[in-house]
Amino acid sequence: MAVRIEERNIKGYVCNVASSLSGRAWHWRGGNMALGEVSGGASGGAGLLRQLLLSRGVADHDVERQMQPTMRAFLPDPSIFADMDSAAERLAQAVLGGEAITIYGDYDVDGATSAALLIRLLRQLGSDPGHYIPDRLLEGYGPTGESLVQLAQDGSSLIVTVDCGAMAHEALAAAADVGVDVIVVDHHKCSSDLPRAAALVNPNRLDSSDDAAAHGHLAAVGVAFLLGIALIRILRREGFFAARPEPDLMALLDLVALGTVADVAALHGLNRAFVAQGLKIMARRRNVGIAALMDAGRVTRAPQASDLGFALGPRINAAGRIGDSSLGVRLLTTEDAAEARDIAAMLDRLNEERRAIEAAVQEAAEAQLHAQHNRSVLVLAGRGWHPGVIGIVAGRIKEKTNKPVFVIAIDEDAGGEMLQGKGSGRSISGVDLGAAVIAAREHGLLVKGGGHAMAAGVTIEEARIEHFRDWLEERLGRDVERAMAGRALTLDLSLTPRGLHPQLVEQLDAAGPYGVGWPAPRVAVGPVTLIKADVVGQGHVRLIAAGQDGARFKAIAFRAEESEMGQTLLHGSRGRRLWLAGRAKIDDWGSTPAAELMLEDAAFAD
């Protein structure tokens, strides 16, 4: 059957849902599309793909380019970024002169992939760079003066910091004082006063050109990739490749994709091309470390963007959170398949341990929610909480409350009278947490702090936490109120149960990869009645729904058992018709693939 698309200029609510079981109105994202039967007709598939792109902000004249996000179509000239040429010139000088180079990375996935990318590239250029990944618990985020000076004393004449350094004024001053050059490759927000460095490459510098600032959504690994392009261009000009092959930078896009998705960078523009092409490289499994990580994460098919965020990324992050911070870089740079398998197995064990620690901290943090129920920004703090999991816990509580959240772990073993805490924050769309943290630091509330719009980190004295909480409320309260007022569930399509099938999922996937800033399509399916509703796993609500057209499908709402929606679906929906909303995916457990719904919301249809 050909695709049947009814486009309507409806002012109002999708499926007449003004208030769902989660208290949200349902609105169209853009196209106001209601689909009945959907099949693989070419014209319908192209029309659906076009509509999905337009509803994600793509201009009409740019649709063709966005349908196939290639590197050629999206890659900018690296020279548009401030200090890029200076950084590439200094790095080329080090390569040509055989200098000792150290890559100083952050302990998360973006830091590990950024470091691995430069290490792999420099090895192909004949260098043998070292790496340094700080210990999260002992050293904290970013370079310290002590570590940079020690690297210089150990022989490094050039240090490249990746995913850190933009706000490391004291540390970089210490390095400059002993004569070691430091190149900073970062993407976190900068202050107007830049640290002393040989070069600071960051699209979020306040003095960036408009062209460079347009790429402010890049993860650090994307910036590192652009530095690689600039470096090869200079070496080519110097005749370096007259007797040796040029490195294949495109082969490193698997690292760029992994770091970009795991760092929750917005998947539009260049990032979308990075991930789309990087997934193709990753599917070839040529990086033995990534291949071993995929095996540990039980990713046996061609990887999808969601696998990077939920299966691969957390395992690398586990090393930085509760284990050896260098494990991620070692995994991603090894050429030894046996070593890769051993490290991947170790990361898998650390990830399981991390989950148990995370559950305990989350329970303790959520116990404080009632006392802050009237706050716009939640600041939850506790002594003895493991600082390695506070970012994950902040993200979980943010999703549960739909409010910006800081979770602060106070170190009660540090000694001294003034205890300090390390905090991690996660924000909601429309509330810039990174800018607030930089302002709080300049206001004297924080020992350290930095980040970007959706995530930030702080170091704070325990005695100042209450003041920090009040200061955030004053600064961000109205932003949160505006964001909450616009809270709604945005949908791309509505369809009958029979229209939810694998061919539709394939058509929806064609507009990917999806992630932050490029949301996966959300569909409303109904009306349906529930044939079965029960709880599986750790509080997941599983449904079997049937439509009036005779079609049935499965749906699952993760961690929804205790929510109002979950309780209503389990106990209060018998005999009533419902609309179900969520993201369609392929259920390939059975002999015949079927489409199922990852349920996000529901509403009564009558």
Side-chain angles (χ1 to χ4, degrees):
M1 179 179 293
V3 176
R4 177 168 62 85
I5 302 178
E6 178 190 353
E7 297 194 36
R8 301 173 292 169
N9 295 317
I10 295 178
K11 293 182 179 180
Y13 306 109
V14 176
C15 306
N16 295 318
V17 177
S19 181
S20 67
L21 296 186
S22 66
R24 289 179 285 184
W26 289 5
H27 294 301
W28 292 116
R29 193 186 308 277
N32 300 3
M33 297 171 62
L35 279 69
E37 306 289 344
V38 182
S39 70
S43 61
L48 177 55
L49 175 58
R50 180 182 181 83
Q51 184 62 52
L52 292 171
L53 296 174
L54 292 172
S55 65
R56 277 151 186 77
V58 175
D60 188 71
H61 66 82
D62 199 30
V63 167
E64 293 302 320
R65 182 177 74 127
Q66 295 281 353
M67 283 186 176
Q68 295 292 332
T70 63
M71 295 297 295
R72 181 183 297 274
F74 285 90
L75 196 65
D77 182 344
S79 294
I80 67 173
F81 297 93
D83 278 4
M84 178 66 83
D85 290 339
S86 297
E89 289 279 4
R90 180 63 186 91
L91 196 52
Q93 178 186 345
V95 170
L96 294 170
E99 296 182 47
I101 305 170
T102 297
I103 309 300
Y104 192 117
D106 188 26
Y107 38 64
D108 69 357
V109 183
D110 192 18
T113 52
S114 300
L117 184 147
L118 290 181
I119 290 169
R120 282 184 165 273
L121 174 58
L122 290 169
R123 284 177 180 173
Q124 292 180 61
L125 295 172
S127 294
D128 185 22
H131 67 266
Y132 186 95
I133 310 296
D135 185 283
R136 179 191 290 261
L137 302 184
L138 299 178
E139 299 174 83
Y141 171 75
T144 63
E146 294 82 359
S147 60
L148 295 180
V149 170
Q150 186 62 56
L151 290 172
Q153 292 174 347
D154 291 342
S156 292
S157 58
L158 178 62
I159 300 170
V160 184
T161 71
V162 288
D163 197 30
C164 59
M167 295 290 289
H169 294 77
E170 295 179 3
L172 268 64
D177 287 343
V178 298
V180 63
D181 286 340
V182 179
I183 295 172
V184 175
V185 178
D186 205 351
H187 69 130
H188 294 99
K189 288 187 178 292
C190 298
S191 62
S192 56
D193 179 25
L194 297 177
R196 292 166 62 188
L200 196 158
V201 186
N202 185 336
N204 289 306
R205 286 177 53 153
L206 296 181
D207 61 350
S208 290
S209 67
D210 290 343
D211 287 342
H215 295 282
H217 61 294
L218 292 179
V221 69
V223 183
F225 183 85
L226 294 173
L227 175 59
I229 294 176
L231 170 62
I232 288 178
R233 185 165 60 187
I234 289 173
L235 292 174
R236 185 187 303 127
R237 185 188 67 199
E238 297 294 324
F240 185 75
F241 301 113
R244 64 191 304 158
E246 288 193 15
D248 181 8
L249 269 175
M250 296 301 115
L252 299 175
L253 284 175
D254 51 0
L255 293 169
V256 182
L258 176 55
T260 297
V261 173
D263 210 52
V264 202
L267 292 192
H268 56 78
L270 179 56
N271 277 349
R272 193 159 162 263
F274 276 151
V275 175
Q277 301 307 315
L279 286 170
K280 296 176 183 178
I281 302 297
M282 192 176 294
R284 299 170 189 166
R285 300 171 69 94
R286 291 178 180 171
N287 183 313
V288 296
I290 292 181
L293 196 65
M294 290 170 64
D295 290 340
R298 273 73 71 181
V299 180
T300 56
R301 46 167 171 67
Q304 301 172 353
S306 58
D307 297 320
L308 312 190
F310 293 104
L312 308 189
R315 286 171 166 80
I316 293 178
N317 269 332
R321 295 184 188 283
I322 61 173
D324 178 352
S325 300
S326 68
L327 285 175
V329 174
R330 288 170 51 197
L331 175 72
L332 298 174
T333 56
T334 185
E335 301 294 346
D336 185 326
E339 181 185 24
R341 286 193 297 271
D342 289 344
I343 296 175
M346 192 181 309
L347 291 174
D348 198 41
R349 291 192 297 272
L350 286 172
N351 194 47
E352 290 300 318
E353 183 180 344
R354 184 270 306 168
R355 287 177 177 173
I357 295 171
E358 173 196 327
V361 173
Q362 182 168 344
E363 181 179 1
E366 289 188 353
Q368 301 178 15
L369 288 178
H370 180 72
Q372 298 186 40
H373 71 277
N374 60 341
R375 293 270 185 174
S376 299
V377 182
L378 304 174
V379 180
L380 313 168
R383 293 187 177 186
W385 293 357
H386 197 298
V389 301
I390 54 177
I392 305 175
V393 173
R396 297 252 191 246
I397 296 177
K398 185 256 310 192
E399 293 297 327
K400 184 173 184 176
T401 62
N402 198 43
K403 294 180 179 181
V405 177
F406 271 96
V407 176
I408 301 174
I410 301 166
D411 184 2
E412 56 187 351
D413 298 323
E417 296 182 1
M418 298 292 281
L419 296 183
Q420 289 187 353
K422 294 179 180 178
S424 188
R426 296 294 182 269
S427 194
I428 60 176
S429 181
V431 181
D432 190 335
L433 215 55
V437 163
I438 290 175
R441 177 179 176 177
E442 294 172 348
H443 197 68
L445 290 174
L446 305 175
V447 177
K448 292 197 300 185
H452 47 78
M454 299 301 289
V458 300
T459 300
I460 185 171
E461 294 176 355
E462 182 183 30
R464 291 183 174 269
I465 290 176
E466 187 63 34
H467 189 185
F468 180 54
R469 183 183 287 123
D470 293 339
W471 189 89
L472 286 174
E473 190 71 21
E474 177 68 23
R475 179 180 175 93
L476 297 178
R478 290 186 179 179
D479 292 343
V480 175
E481 184 179 347
R482 283 192 290 268
M484 295 287 282
R487 184 172 178 256
L489 192 76
T490 53
L491 292 107
D492 295 275
L493 314 169
S494 66
L495 56 148
T496 64
R498 193 171 296 278
L500 182 66
H501 56 66
Q503 289 172 297
L504 173 67
V505 178
E506 292 174 2
Q507 292 176 358
L508 296 177
D509 287 347
Y514 297 109
V516 172
W518 195 268
R522 189 179 286 122
V523 302
V525 188
V528 300
T529 55
L530 299 185
I531 304 301
K532 182 179 181 180
D534 60 2
V535 178
V536 295
Q538 298 182 349
H540 311 318
V541 176
R542 179 179 59 182
L543 309 173
I544 297 178
Q548 293 174 311
D549 58 5
R552 294 188 178 189
F553 62 91
K554 296 177 183 178
I556 186 165
F558 291 107
R559 295 185 294 273
E561 179 185 9
E562 297 180 3
S563 68
E564 182 175 345
M565 179 188 76
Q567 287 297 304
T568 302
L569 292 173
L570 289 167
H571 307 296
S573 60
R574 184 182 300 275
R576 298 192 64 179
R577 297 193 308 159
L578 293 157
W579 284 99
L580 302 181
R583 307 184 193 279
K585 67 178 291 288
I586 298 293
D587 174 15
D588 51 10
W589 281 100
S591 57
T592 302
E596 64 178 357
L597 200 64
M598 312 300 288
L599 189 68
E600 297 178 70
D601 205 356
F604 288 119
D606 49 25

